[in-house]
Amino acid sequence: MNLKQMAGEWAADFVQNGMVVGLGSGSTAYYAVVRIGKLFREGALRDIVGIPTSISTEKLARELGIPLATLQEHPQIHLTIDGADEVDPQRNLIKGGGGALLREKIVARASRREIIVVDHSKLVPRLGHHFLLPVEVIPFGWNICARELEKLGCRSKLRKAQDGPYITDERNYILDCTIPPEAELAWLEKEINNIPGVVENGLFLNRADLVIVGSPQGVRLIGAT
């Protein structure tokens, strides 16, 4: 079993009967969704409903037979299991490497409990250590957003796909940005989101209740179980 699978499957066992579950996106959350689907098909989980954080997760959940709903039907989520690109010692996160940061943050905000699943390589002394901060922007005037980010000390580049700019599920662009080493994260999160044209950014501060880490030594839990 690989380390991502170890963390994802461990987290799935926190799901209980009758829960509304936020289904995260990315390579580690994938294993949690697969495990939830298996438990549901086997009857070990009953009366659950999932809220997917991306189109790709929605497709996977449907293939697995997990019942799905919307936030309009269930505005409060009992538990969300999601991944992260970086986790600092205070359980602050960078998310958005897979481009789903906007839906992920909405689902996190609606969740009573947020469990993050990662392998040990995602643990860093400070955010921005080896991963750029994704900032989702509308296509109109994205270059102006980049200029304003530069004023905050965040050097950015437009994320590309094979045939042009990368397009998110909400039809937006992503700017991948450096984080100034001296930046106060709560201040930076607000200042970035105050730029006209910015939809959301990948700083998830004080969101993770529990981080489940897959490591060569086994599963490590960081936070309240």
Side-chain angles (χ1 to χ4, degrees):
M1 182 182 297
N2 67 45
L3 302 184
K4 293 182 178 183
Q5 184 177 0
M6 182 189 302
E9 292 189 354
W10 188 286
D13 289 337
F14 283 86
V15 180
Q16 299 177 5
N17 295 336
M19 278 188 168
V20 179
V21 184
L23 303 175
S25 302
S27 57
T28 309
Y30 165 87
Y31 290 106
V33 177
V34 170
R35 172 71 173 165
I36 291 167
K38 182 175 186 291
L39 293 173
F40 181 76
R41 291 193 305 276
E42 293 174 347
L45 278 178
R46 301 182 304 277
D47 302 319
I48 64 167
V49 62
I51 308 290
T53 57
S54 65
I55 291 174
S56 60
T57 298
E58 178 180 356
K59 181 176 182 291
L60 173 63
R62 291 192 187 281
E63 292 172 351
L64 296 169
I66 300 172
L68 298 180
T70 67
L71 283 172
Q72 287 70 41
E73 295 168 304
H74 296 281
Q76 187 166 77
I77 298 170
H78 295 102
L79 169 68
T80 289
I81 300 173
D82 208 348
D85 300 299
E86 287 190 341
V87 181
D88 77 7
Q90 290 73 46
R91 303 197 304 276
N92 294 317
L93 319 170
I94 286 180
K95 291 172 52 58
L101 64 102
L102 178 55
R103 293 192 187 188
E104 288 173 337
K105 192 169 277 192
I106 292 170
V107 168
R109 182 65 178 264
S111 301
R112 294 180 186 173
R113 192 177 191 206
E114 180 92 354
I115 293 179
I116 297 298
V117 290
V118 294
D119 67 77
H120 67 108
S121 70
K122 303 299 176 67
L123 302 180
V124 296
R126 63 172 181 83
L127 296 186
H129 184 70
H130 57 64
F131 200 88
L132 296 174
L133 172 66
V135 177
E136 186 162 344
V137 300
I138 67 170
F140 179 81
W142 68 265
N143 57 310
I144 307 303
C145 294
R147 185 183 68 190
E148 294 301 311
L149 286 165
E150 184 76 29
K151 293 178 182 178
L152 297 176
C154 302
R155 299 187 306 277
S156 67
K157 61 181 180 180
L158 182 66
R159 187 179 296 185
K160 296 293 186 65
Q162 288 185 344
D163 55 352
Y166 175 88
I167 305 296
T168 71
D169 286 352
E170 306 304 320
R171 311 302 299 172
N172 295 316
Y173 291 172
I174 286 182
L175 296 170
D176 290 307
C177 307
T178 60
I179 297 178
E182 71 283 358
E184 200 280 313
L185 295 178
W187 173 87
L188 185 64
E189 181 183 27
K190 291 178 181 177
E191 289 299 311
I192 290 174
N193 283 352
N194 280 337
I195 297 172
V198 168
V199 182
E200 190 51 84
N201 72 79
L203 285 172
F204 282 60
L205 309 180
N206 303 311
R207 299 284 184 188
D209 299 293
L210 176 66
V211 178
I212 298 178
V213 184
S215 75
Q217 293 74 38
V219 171
R220 176 186 173 194
L221 305 181
I222 305 173
T225 58

